[in-house]
């Protein structure tokens, strides 16, 4: 029985094509979900238990194209962002111009 102060953890729901990241032995890994698994599946000799209540996800790594399987609670959504241009080059140029003018 759940008391008034206890809350059940809401499982994270992801969809095919979502960009996610997870922690591995080598550090944080990013990839794209390729399939949502809702029944037991055997991969590389191991049975991964999944259900509709606790699905697992097949994810393809961005860097290595390796396919991994993880539960939703091990994954975090990741929003790919474009790299910002550095203003460092502009600042150096401004300093050079200021120095050459004789300030």
């Amino acid at each position: 029985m759940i008391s008034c102060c206890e809350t059940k953890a809401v499982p994270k729901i992801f969809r095919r094509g979502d960009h996610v990241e997870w922690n591995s032995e080598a550090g944080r890994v990013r990839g794209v979900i390729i399939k949502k698994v809702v029944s037991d599946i055997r991969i590389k000799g191991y049975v991964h238990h999944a259900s509709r209540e606790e699905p697992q996800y097949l994810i393809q790594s961005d860097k290595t194209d390796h396919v991994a399987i993880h539960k939703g609670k091990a994954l975090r959504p990741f929003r790919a962002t474009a790299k910002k241009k550095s203003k460092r080059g502009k600042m150096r140029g401004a300093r050079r111009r200021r120095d050459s003018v004789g300030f």
Side-chain angles (χ1 to χ4, degrees):
M1 186 168 128
I2 298 175
S3 71
C4 66
C5 300
E6 292 180 32
T7 58
K8 226 177 183 183
V10 177
K12 296 179 184 173
I13 305 296
F14 296 100
R15 302 172 84 184
R16 187 176 54 178
D18 285 352
H19 208 100
V20 295
E21 67 179 1
W22 67 96
N23 196 18
S24 76
E25 300 86 19
R28 303 256 358 130
V29 181
R30 296 176 182 155
V32 177
I33 293 179
I34 55 176
K35 185 176 181 181
K36 179 179 177 179
V37 180
V38 293
S39 62
D40 292 354
I41 185 171
R42 183 181 297 270
I43 297 178
K44 296 182 181 177
Y46 295 97
V47 176
H48 294 270
H49 300 286
S51 65
R52 289 192 182 273
E53 293 78 28
E54 280 194 75
Q56 294 206 23
Y57 300 92
L58 286 171
I59 311 143
Q60 186 170 17
S61 169
D62 288 342
K63 287 187 179 179
T64 64
D65 290 334
H66 172 80
V67 175
I69 185 166
H70 291 289
K71 292 182 179 181
K73 63 183 177 184
L75 304 173
R76 292 189 345 194
F78 175 75
R79 180 177 292 152
T81 57
K83 292 184 179 181
K84 294 181 180 179
K85 291 184 179 180
S86 173
K87 293 183 180 180
R88 192 171 183 175
K90 291 180 181 179
M91 293 174 76
R92 285 184 179 170
R95 282 192 209 125
R96 269 191 240 121
R97 275 186 252 119
R98 186 182 71 202
D99 293 341
S100 64
V101 175
F103 282 92

